[in-house]
Every structure is written in C-alpha cells, then in structure tokens.
Amino acid sequence: MAKKDESAAETRHYGGRGDPVRSMELLWGTSPGPRSRGPKQGLTVERIVQAGIEIADAEGLAAVSMRRVADRLGVGTMSLYTYVPSKAELVDVMFDRAIGTAARPEVEGGWREKLTAVARSEWDLYRRHPWLLQVMAMSRPPLGPNSIAGYDHQLRAVDGVGLTELEMDSVVSMVGVYVQGTARAAAEAAASARDTGQTDDEWWSVYAPLLEKVFDADKYPVAARVGAVAGETYQSAYDATHGFEFGLARILDGVESLISSRR
Amino acid sequence: MAKKDESAAETRHYGGRGDPVRSMELLWGTSPGPRSRGPKQGLTVERIVQAGIEIADAEGLAAVSMRRVADRLGVGTMSLYTYVPSKAELVDVMFDRAIGTAARPEVEGGWREKLTAVARSEWDLYRRHPWLLQVMAMSRPPLGPNSIAGYDHQLRAVDGVGLTELEMDSVVSMVGVYVQGTARAAAEAAASARDTGQTDDEWWSVYAPLLEKVFDADKYPVAARVGAVAGETYQSAYDATHGFEFGLARILDGVESLISSRR
DNA sequence: TCCCTTGTCGTACGTTGTACGGAATTTGGT
DNA sequence: ACCAAATTCCGTACAACGTACGACAAGGGA
C-alpha cells in the first residue's frame, strides 16, 4: 500500500476454509478446556473478537489486521494464532458475535408488523456494524449460535400465515437480501465520507458539472428528466434511508399478495 | 499473503479518489490526443482495461493486480501508470466497460415485461462479470457512458405508467438492489467453489452433522422445520436462481399495487 | 544536430497474512 | 525435588500488494 493508505481498496472475507471442527468449536464456544501443561493463556478468543469488532466498527474491516488487533490487546501478533487458526476464522466469529447484538423484538400484531420489525432490526444492525456487509456470508455462512437464532426469529414473523416452508424461507431471504442491499449503499456512503473527508453532496457538486459536459440529454431524455428530479431531492446520488422505507413497503405489498392468494 | 494465496481475502474497490477531471476523461475517452514529443505509446487504456476484465472474469477481482495486468500485456508494471493514474481509476473504467456489455433489449408489452427483462439482463451481466458486485458503486458510481445508458434503459421500463420521477427512480433502484443481492449470493457460491475446489453441496455435507450436534431443535422449532425442508430442496444453504425468480415476482407484485393505486 | 519532453520500467518501501523456530513457562511423572 | 514433555508467546522472515522515485531511452522542434 502507498503511504497514508490513499489507495481505494477494502477487504472482503469469506470463511469455511480451515478445519470445520475447529471452526464450529470456536463459533459455539465448545473448545476443549485448557491443557494442563504449559503457561496459562493470557487472553480469550472472545477478547480478541471484541477487539476486532471495535476496530471494524471504527475504521472498517480493512483496518482489522492481525497486527492491529494484537497491538490493541498488548500482545505479539503471532500470539493470536494460539487462539484462532487464521484471520478467516476470527472474522467468522466476529460476524456471529455482531449478529448477536441485533434486537429481536417479539412484536404484537400480524405478519406485516413482525416482518417490518425484522427488517428494521436488521437495518439497524448493519448501521451499527457496516463491515458485516463485507463478510461474504450468503453462501456458506458461519453457522454460529447467533446466526441460527436470527434465522429462527426471522422465520417466526411469517410462521402460521399459510405459506409453505419453502416459501417462508424464500420470503425471509428476499427481505434479507433487500435490507442488505440498501444498507450497503448507506455503508458505502459513510465509508467514502470517512476515507475521503468528503460528503456525497460535495462529491456530487464536483462531478455534476463534469457530467453535464459529456452527457447528451437528447439521447437519454428519461434519464435526464428523472436524474434531475432525483438529484435535487436526494442531494446525492442515492439516498439510502428513503430507498429503504419505500422498497420495504413495496416488497411487503408483494408478500401480501402471495399470502392472500394462499388463503 | 501466505504462499499459494490460501488466505480467505478478496478485495473491494471504490473510486472517485483521484483527479475528477482525469477520471471523467478516462471514462468518456476524451483524453487529449498524443503529445508530439517523446516516444510513441505502445498501449491504449482500452487494452489495459480489457486485460483487467479478462483476469477478473477468470479469477476474481482479487487476482487483478497491476503486476498481473502488466505481465499479461508484456510490459513493465509501472508502464501502466502512464495510461492510468491508479488502480482505482482502472477498476472504475473496467466497471463501466463491463456494464456496457449488458443486453438492453427493447421489449414489447407493458411495464412488467419490460422491468422483468431489465432485471434478467442485469442478472445475466452479473453472472458474466461477478466481480462487478465487488466494486463499491452504489454511492459515487463511476459516471461513465455505459452506466448512464444503463440507467436510462432501466428507467424507460417504468416511464409513462403514472409514477412520479422520484418513484421511477426508487422502483428502478429497488429492483437493482434486489438483483445485485441475489447475484451476489450466486457469485459467492461460485467463488467459494473455485477457490476451495469444493461445491456448496460438499461444504454443507461436512457442516450439517457438526451443526446437528450443537443445534437445539426444541429451542428453535421453526428454524428446525423450515431449515430441514429448505436444506433438502436446495441441497445447499441458499439457492440463488430459485431465490431470484421468486423474489422478482414478489417485488413486481409490489410495484403493481403501487402503479394500480396511481391510476 | 542538439535539447527537451515524454514513455518505459527497475528498484525500493511499507503494508499484509502467516510459516517457522527458539525461548519461556507450567505440570505430570518419577 | 527434579526432569522432560507440553504449551504459550512472539521475533523474524517471506511473498504478495500498490505505487513513489529516478534513471534511461526515444523522438520531434529548434
């Protein structure tokens, strides 16, 4: 990397690379007790995970390096490897523990109220821990206790409304995919602002006049018309919060028509 | 990195870091002509971009390093920097050029047929160039000619159906967010399979028995019931294609109820 | 012809994850 | 009580990354 990290690179992570048995022990805290021989351990996996989460929250997943985590805990870098087999497993556990902080309210009312609450709670989670969106966890998710609990909570929102099990799973993952996508836009905007010291407004005010020079409004009349209105309204290329509430209502309307058709 | 790149890290990129004027010139091909003095240039920006796209298609965005691109073109690494100010700008141009390969069919019929075609064409694009999903382009997208043309094409699907400009933009970005999310799941599955030499099925058959040991079916009865059915059906944690078509139909139902309410 | 601009690219630096091996520490066996 | 085995801790080293810097070569304008 160049000095002062001017480079535009972030890191993504996916897990499931190491020993599956070891991974699951880490995730579920079922590691065998301390061995009898040798020095006492000065750290715990959970303390390491917390340090990683704090760095990721403050500076993004790219700032979470083994050296940074070790420094924060006042130990040598390589000491971490006696607790965690690799960075991939560490990120997996960070992922599950952060998921565990999601609010899982038991909402009164019908499926729509419940599913709205599920979506909002996931949205809040991603606002608090935006780096979760950089962990590749759609296929092969870390199968930790909190991820499982979250899956169950989501499903209960649409239980007993006349959908098949398959439809329940599909509805829940459809809403999840949508929330993640919208949260990702918000997270990117925040990360860009943090890393460049420039808000989206400022960015746009630089690029808008440059775009006007090359953009042919006669060739793309619809984009010109809509873009003008959208640009004025959002004061930025994409307003995440507006998009989230609007799209969520639309999606739930879609789910409603599915549920009605089943009755 | 460890030898043989066993590490579980992928790279993400976001642009808009360098000189905005230079960025736009690169994107729109409006760079000033060749200077009269000095040696002839042996390459073009477009050749470099093509090489980058080929590597990204075959091995993912993480494999696109300046050294790899230069090697493929038979030049020294640093020569690339006379064409492109940094890797961030190179990725921005790769992004726009890949977007340009999307099919933008002019579909007969109503908005639903058109919007379905838009979604499917975007889905196909992400299947051909999965690395596009790793370019952070939701806020501050590269404002290149192909991205603009794509935006116009998407909007035309819902033009003249009674929605406001703001609603048109929101509907289009809602569908886009959804397609990207589903495509991301598919891309992650493919990337995992490529990097680990293990299909999702194989992965699941390793983890399922381990999960069974720690999972408490009495505590999470809904997850147990739905998970069993979903697991049997998908033969994997998440089937992207099924999810895509199902969710798209649901979302379009939601859009339909919005459009009806406007008539 | 000479000079000055421009393109090419070898070298070097600071960053990353982590393999390796030596030192220090604690305990079980005797 | 003492030794060896087991275990933790961690300094060093390596290959990869993006790219700053500067030396060298190429070629048109004077």
Side-chain angles (χ1 to χ4, degrees):
Chain A
M1 279 318 151
K3 61 180 171 182
K4 285 187 65 183
D5 193 24
E6 289 281 348
S7 151
E10 283 273 332
T11 4
R12 283 193 128 201
H13 292 267
Y14 56 94
R17 301 294 245 92
D19 174 20
V21 175
R22 183 79 197 280
S23 280
M24 288 297 268
E25 284 174 356
L26 241 29
L27 250 5
W28 291 83
T30 57
S31 301
R35 338 298 184 134
S36 46
R37 305 283 247 271
K40 305 285 178 211
Q41 300 206 134
L43 249 43
T44 62
V45 172
E46 235 54 42
R47 282 236 295 149
I48 295 170
V49 167
Q50 277 312 311
I53 289 177
E54 283 162 21
I55 296 169
D57 285 347
E59 300 173 51
L61 196 58
V64 180
S65 71
M66 297 304 267
R67 280 170 242 258
R68 275 294 301 277
V69 174
D71 282 357
R72 170 174 278 250
L73 294 167
V75 300
T77 308
M78 293 312 290
S79 300
L80 301 182
Y81 287 91
T82 53
Y83 298 87
V84 148
S86 82
K87 190 185 174 184
E89 274 84 356
L90 171 57
V91 173
D92 277 2
V93 183
M94 284 169 56
F95 182 88
D96 188 75
R97 298 302 180 266
I99 294 281
T101 68
R104 302 197 214 289
E106 300 296 328
V107 173
E108 303 294 316
W111 65 267
R112 187 159 184 142
E113 286 74 25
K114 289 180 187 169
L115 204 47
T116 303
V118 163
R120 295 234 175 93
S121 132
E122 202 176 339
W123 169 262
D124 286 341
L125 173 67
Y126 292 131
R127 297 312 300 255
R128 276 181 293 121
H129 302 296
W131 53 271
L132 287 173
L133 296 160
Q134 286 175 280
V135 180
M136 309 218 273
M138 303 192 83
S139 79
R140 316 196 189 181
L143 297 173
N146 296 312
S147 315
I148 301 289
Y151 182 54
D152 185 81
H153 180 256
Q154 289 164 11
L155 286 172
R156 273 189 283 125
V158 290
D159 193 24
V161 297
L163 298 179
T164 68
E165 275 81 14
L166 221 55
E167 285 169 336
M168 287 172 63
D169 182 80
S170 295
V171 164
V172 155
S173 80
M174 174 183 68
V175 172
V177 154
Y178 176 71
V179 175
Q180 283 170 43
T182 325
R184 196 182 307 271
E188 281 180 23
S192 298
R194 185 192 59 215
D195 295 346
T196 65
Q198 189 185 40
T199 67
D200 278 9
D201 286 12
E202 290 161 356
W203 177 85
W204 183 245
S205 72
V206 169
Y207 272 87
L210 295 175
L211 181 59
E212 238 169 278
K213 274 189 204 158
V214 285
F215 177 71
D216 185 353
D218 295 331
K219 199 170 169 191
Y220 303 120
V222 187
R225 176 164 51 91
V226 175
V229 175
E232 275 174 37
T233 309
Y234 299 151
Q235 291 287 77
S236 105
Y238 183 76
D239 182 273
T241 310
H242 177 274
F244 173 66
E245 289 295 340
F246 176 89
L248 181 59
R250 252 14 80 218
I251 284 183
L252 294 184
D253 285 349
V255 173
E256 189 150 339
S257 80
L258 174 71
I259 290 179
S260 317
S261 77
R262 284 288 175 286
R263 291 204 182 276
Chain B
M1 280 314 157
K3 61 179 170 184
K4 285 186 65 183
D5 193 22
E6 288 281 351
S7 151
E10 282 274 332
T11 8
R12 284 195 126 202
H13 291 267
Y14 56 94
R17 303 295 246 91
D19 174 20
V21 175
R22 183 79 197 280
S23 280
M24 289 297 268
E25 284 174 356
L26 241 29
L27 250 5
W28 291 84
T30 56
S31 300
R35 340 296 182 130
S36 48
R37 304 285 250 271
K40 305 284 178 213
Q41 298 204 133
L43 248 43
T44 62
V45 172
E46 234 54 42
R47 281 237 294 150
I48 295 170
V49 167
Q50 277 312 310
I53 289 177
E54 282 162 22
I55 296 169
D57 285 348
E59 300 172 51
L61 196 58
V64 179
S65 71
M66 298 304 267
R67 281 170 239 260
R68 276 294 301 278
V69 174
D71 281 357
R72 171 173 278 249
L73 294 166
V75 300
T77 308
M78 293 311 291
S79 299
L80 301 181
Y81 287 91
T82 54
Y83 298 87
V84 147
S86 82
K87 190 186 174 185
E89 274 85 357
L90 170 57
V91 173
D92 277 1
V93 183
M94 284 169 55
F95 181 87
D96 188 76
R97 297 303 179 266
I99 295 280
T101 68
R104 304 197 215 289
E106 299 296 328
V107 173
E108 303 295 317
W111 67 265
R112 186 156 184 144
E113 286 74 24
K114 290 181 186 168
L115 204 48
T116 303
V118 163
R120 294 235 176 93
S121 132
E122 203 176 338
W123 168 263
D124 286 341
L125 173 67
Y126 292 132
R127 297 312 300 254
R128 277 181 292 122
H129 302 296
W131 53 272
L132 286 174
L133 296 160
Q134 286 175 279
V135 180
M136 309 219 274
M138 302 192 84
S139 79
R140 316 195 190 183
L143 297 172
N146 296 312
S147 315
I148 301 289
Y151 181 54
D152 185 81
H153 180 256
Q154 290 163 11
L155 286 172
R156 273 189 283 125
V158 290
D159 193 25
V161 297
L163 298 179
T164 67
E165 275 80 14
L166 221 54
E167 285 169 336
M168 288 172 63
D169 182 80
S170 296
V171 163
V172 155
S173 80
M174 174 182 68
V175 172
V177 155
Y178 175 71
V179 175
Q180 283 170 42
T182 325
R184 196 182 307 272
E188 282 180 21
S192 298
R194 185 192 60 214
D195 295 347
T196 67
Q198 190 186 38
T199 67
D200 278 9
D201 285 12
E202 290 161 356
W203 176 86
W204 183 244
S205 73
V206 169
Y207 273 88
L210 296 174
L211 181 59
E212 238 170 280
K213 273 189 204 157
V214 285
F215 177 70
D216 185 353
D218 296 330
K219 199 170 168 191
Y220 304 119
V222 187
R225 176 165 52 91
V226 175
V229 175
E232 274 173 35
T233 309
Y234 300 150
Q235 291 286 80
S236 107
Y238 183 77
D239 182 274
T241 310
H242 177 275
F244 172 66
E245 289 294 341
F246 176 88
L248 181 59
R250 253 13 80 216
I251 284 183
L252 294 185
D253 285 350
V255 173
E256 189 149 341
S257 81
L258 175 71
I259 289 179
S260 317
S261 77
R262 283 289 175 286
R263 291 205 182 279

